[in-house]
Amino acid sequence: MSKSPPLNSLTEQCGGEFRLFKKRPWLFLLFLSLVLLSSRPAQAAVEISTATGQLITFDNATGIAVVEGDAVVNDATATLKADKIRVNTKTRDGEAEGHIRLENASGLLLGERAIYDWETSTGVIYGARGLNEPWRISASEMTQLDPEYFYLKDGSITSCDEDPPHYRIRSRTGLLRRGKRIKLYRARLVPDDTPIFFTPFYTKSLIPKKYRLRIEPGQSSRDGFTAKTVLGYPLTPNTWTNIRWDYLQYTGNGGGLEHRYNTNQMRGVFDSYYIRDSNPDQEVPRSKRYTILWNHYQRITQQLTLNSKIDLKSDQVFGNSYRNVGNQVSVENQTRGLLSEAGFNYQFPVAAIQALFDRKDSFDSSVSSKQFISHLTIPRLIINTAPLKAKFFPIYTSLNGTYTNDTEVRTDPKNQLRYKKNATAGVELKRDFKIRKKLTLTPMAFYNQSWDNRVLSSTYVVTEKDQYVGRYTLGGDIRRRFYKRLDTRIGYRYGIRNRLNQTNQDFEANDYGVESNQLAATLESRIGRSTRLTLSSGYDYREAPRNDPMKYKHSSERITPPSLDISMEVRKNVSLFFRETYSVFDSRTKTPINTPANTSGEIQVGSLNNATYFSQGFSYSKKGFGNPSELFLTNKMKFYLTQKWYVDVFLSFRAVGEKKLNYRKLFPIERGLRVARDMHCWLFRAEFSSRPDRHEASFYIDLKTSVNKDQNVFNQGQPSVYSTRNEGPDYGEIFPAPADATPSKEEPK
């Protein structure tokens, strides 16, 4: 407690009582509370409850209390803090000076001087600054009209926490409903200190918004100028819905709906897009184009789950997405007019049963003007078991079975849908025997029986007689470890096929009923903890088939193309992959060769899921005599160019040459560039993509306060049905918004 000032009228009126309060301040707080409560009628007794500070003086004649040093006065609706607070307990008003903080449930107000009336909860704060996350509000004078409303003079609002802010919206006058909304009159947008835009009226909700509105202008070689709009809103805590509307200069207007849901028992996505295409592709002269996708997963019971999917397209090329194959080479997906699937899965402790249903439709303008059913499956039943081991039969046994009722695939709607039934059942026996400490022998045997109730030939000749075919496979593996880091495996498989409806081997077939008679070997070496080298090949012992008696004239034709794989972690977060496959025989020229068939590799720095990542991949193929060689090159880069610039690049090319690496032609497959700029309170993104038949560009800028990572919870692993809707990485996580929905007690700048 600070030193007491000279005794004045307070000590004259209260005598030695002040010294008692000085030694025990809590007694004075109680006394002041009783005075404040008893000086007004009962209905006003809750207006002021307590006052605290380092030094408190009270004049009983005037009813004035002065609180100095970390002064705090609490009432039912707010807490007033300042360096010094003067309260008139009779008129219920007062003044505050120095480092003023007025706090309540809806926000925080700061200032240099304040006049406040506890009776009416009104007053004036000079040099006021307010914090309503993430918005910062200021005014030269802020007059409180009632507990919630304030009148602003020379007011402004911004989401920037810098001092001075990068931008603000200023006005001469305004109204503030704390925690709800602000209205500014004769407002102007002021980046730094230069006004650039004027509006007679501006209003802003201070309630954290749930919805997300984005307008993304761009340009496409096919669609011309584009403006894509997305409005998103969480209808429930576990859903997110996007409504899309696109303006496409050459093509027309398109719209779509995307709804995602995710709960403990189910998750899924419904995505749709429709457009009256006035600029159709030449190969698909349609004006009405649409695509619908619905994926659904549901856990019905602890053991029973449901999976379903509907993928509907007006034509096979609309809304196709691109995917990566091989060394991240991007190719267009093969799609169909309609794909609908549904399945149930029941999980036992050692087995699983599945029931699947699907329908596939096709569209081919050369044979029909409408979609037609291409294939139906109703149903397919599958059962599989885990390896079983009986007490008196120490061999691991696995059982599997499948029953299918489906139709033959048809390519013309004039052909009749013909149903057929088939079933398969199999058993696998396998056991590891450890002969020595570093030697393991694994014998194995397989048997599979298939049944068809009819067979349909290419000429649509139906054989109604039931057909049974059995297959036997015998073999084994020998694994030997040399030293600590070198393993070898030699495996052998011999498989035969029975005659139709017999148990005898099918000697009359072209392959004499022998489907496999092969020896395979693998050598694997581990160098250190992170490098693995694998060399594998095989040898085919089958006889020459009846229809090609010269097939194995050269023994090199029996050799499986040898392959070499190397996986290496050069250092932390730096990995190297390499694969070499050799051809020892050319089946077209019927001559032995010794040339690489395919050489591929990739170097990776970082992880693909991280913000910083680099990869360089290649795939080289030599197709043989008379055919040009091909080289695929792929690059993937994600990195911070500076602390404020983020870049995401993908490049893929195909080079063609007549003589090995002498390439004269270079064909781009796909080129993509995404750039994001952190402008502190704003976020800017630009995207460019180029494919052989289309070039696109789009731009997007918005306040960081509009970026909410929770809105993307349902986007994981769920690409949109429309290829241009692939949003890529969530830049809200790379450059996160500075604030959350919880009011902060930090002082706004």
Side-chain angles (χ1 to χ4, degrees), residues 141-439:
E141 293 183 15
M142 187 177 293
T143 304
Q144 187 170 5
L145 305 177
D146 63 33
E148 295 296 329
Y149 282 93
F150 292 82
Y151 174 79
L152 308 181
K153 181 179 179 182
D154 295 329
S156 69
I157 182 174
T158 181
S159 63
C160 182
D161 58 0
E162 291 291 320
D163 187 15
H166 293 136
Y167 85 98
R168 67 178 66 186
I169 299 176
R170 291 178 175 173
S171 71
R172 295 294 183 185
T173 58
L175 288 176
L176 169 66
R177 185 181 180 188
R178 192 158 51 176
K180 301 294 184 180
R181 179 169 293 276
I182 185 173
K183 299 178 182 179
L184 301 177
Y185 303 94
R186 292 184 291 173
R188 52 202 182 275
L189 175 62
V190 184
D192 293 329
D193 292 324
T194 305
I196 63 172
F197 181 77
F198 172 82
T199 178
F201 177 75
Y202 174 82
T203 180
K204 175 68 181 177
S205 173
L206 301 180
I207 302 175
K209 65 180 181 181
K210 293 183 177 181
Y211 70 89
R212 185 179 184 182
L213 176 63
R214 186 180 72 199
I215 301 176
E216 184 174 332
Q219 195 275 338
S220 169
S221 59
R222 180 184 187 273
D223 303 323
F225 172 76
T226 63
K228 299 176 181 178
T229 304
V230 181
L231 174 62
Y233 189 83
L235 298 176
T236 70
N238 298 311
T239 64
W240 182 262
T241 303
N242 283 328
I243 300 175
R244 307 189 185 107
W245 180 259
D246 293 348
Y247 167 77
L248 310 175
Q249 181 182 7
Y250 301 145
T251 309
N253 295 323
L257 175 68
E258 178 187 23
H259 180 72
R260 300 181 184 273
Y261 50 94
N262 191 342
T263 66
N264 293 332
Q265 299 298 325
M266 68 176 66
R267 61 180 180 269
V269 54
F270 174 83
D271 202 353
S272 62
Y273 192 83
Y274 172 83
I275 186 172
R276 294 182 61 89
D277 197 339
S278 58
N279 182 31
D281 301 309
Q282 294 181 357
E283 64 273 17
V284 187
R286 297 173 64 92
S287 59
K288 297 180 180 179
R289 310 180 75 181
Y290 56 86
T291 173
I292 298 174
L293 171 67
W294 182 32
N295 276 314
H296 178 78
Y297 166 84
Q298 183 172 351
R299 181 174 293 278
I300 301 174
T301 67
Q302 189 65 27
Q303 293 79 25
L304 182 62
T305 58
L306 166 67
N307 288 276
S308 61
K309 176 182 179 180
I310 295 178
D311 189 355
L312 175 63
K313 296 179 183 296
S314 58
D315 53 76
Q316 290 181 304
V317 298
F318 177 61
N320 280 0
S321 60
Y322 284 72
R323 61 186 176 90
N324 292 329
V325 296
N327 287 294
Q328 298 183 350
V329 178
S330 188
V331 299
E332 193 170 13
N333 283 337
Q334 297 296 320
T335 62
R336 54 184 59 85
L338 170 66
L339 169 64
S340 55
E341 300 173 333
F344 294 92
N345 184 86
Y346 194 90
Q347 185 69 48
F348 293 96
V350 294
I353 297 178
Q354 290 180 296
L356 306 177
F357 308 82
D358 70 69
R359 167 178 168 171
K360 300 176 182 178
D361 287 27
S362 293
F363 172 78
D364 187 346
S365 59
S366 63
V367 297
S368 175
S369 60
K370 299 180 179 180
Q371 293 186 131
F372 58 89
I373 299 175
S374 176
H375 183 256
L376 281 174
T377 301
I378 46 175
R380 177 180 291 112
L381 304 177
I382 303 172
I383 181 172
N384 290 289
T385 70
L388 307 174
K389 182 181 178 181
K391 181 177 181 181
F392 302 103
F393 190 65
I395 297 178
Y396 290 100
T397 304
S398 300
L399 304 174
N400 63 81
T402 303
Y403 169 80
T404 305
N405 179 37
D406 63 349
T407 65
E408 294 287 344
V409 177
R410 64 174 183 171
T411 58
D412 194 320
K414 296 179 182 179
N415 297 330
Q416 183 180 355
L417 273 175
R418 299 180 181 272
Y419 285 87
K420 59 183 180 65
K421 300 177 182 179
N422 62 79
T424 61
V427 60
E428 175 184 344
L429 304 176
K430 188 177 180 180
R431 175 67 191 276
D432 292 339
F433 294 96
K434 196 168 186 178
I435 300 175
R436 295 180 183 177
K437 184 178 180 180
K438 298 182 178 181
L439 182 63

Side-chain angles (χ1 to χ4, degrees), residues 35-72:
V35 171
L36 295 175
L37 292 175
S38 61
S39 60
R40 301 292 289 178
Q43 60 268 23
V46 296
E47 293 296 329
I48 301 177
S49 57
T50 61
T52 62
Q54 296 180 2
L55 178 62
I56 304 177
T57 59
F58 179 71
D59 189 333
N60 195 36
T62 61
I64 295 176
V66 179
V67 186
E68 299 181 78
D70 297 328
V72 179

Side-chain angles (χ1 to χ4, degrees), residues 512-540:
Y512 303 96
V514 180
E515 294 186 326
S516 63
N517 186 7
Q518 190 175 39
L519 183 71
T522 301
L523 178 68
E524 183 178 293
S525 175
R526 296 180 302 278
I527 305 173
R529 296 184 306 169
S530 57
T531 302
R532 178 168 294 185
L533 183 148
T534 305
L535 178 64
S536 60
S537 185
Y539 193 85
D540 194 340

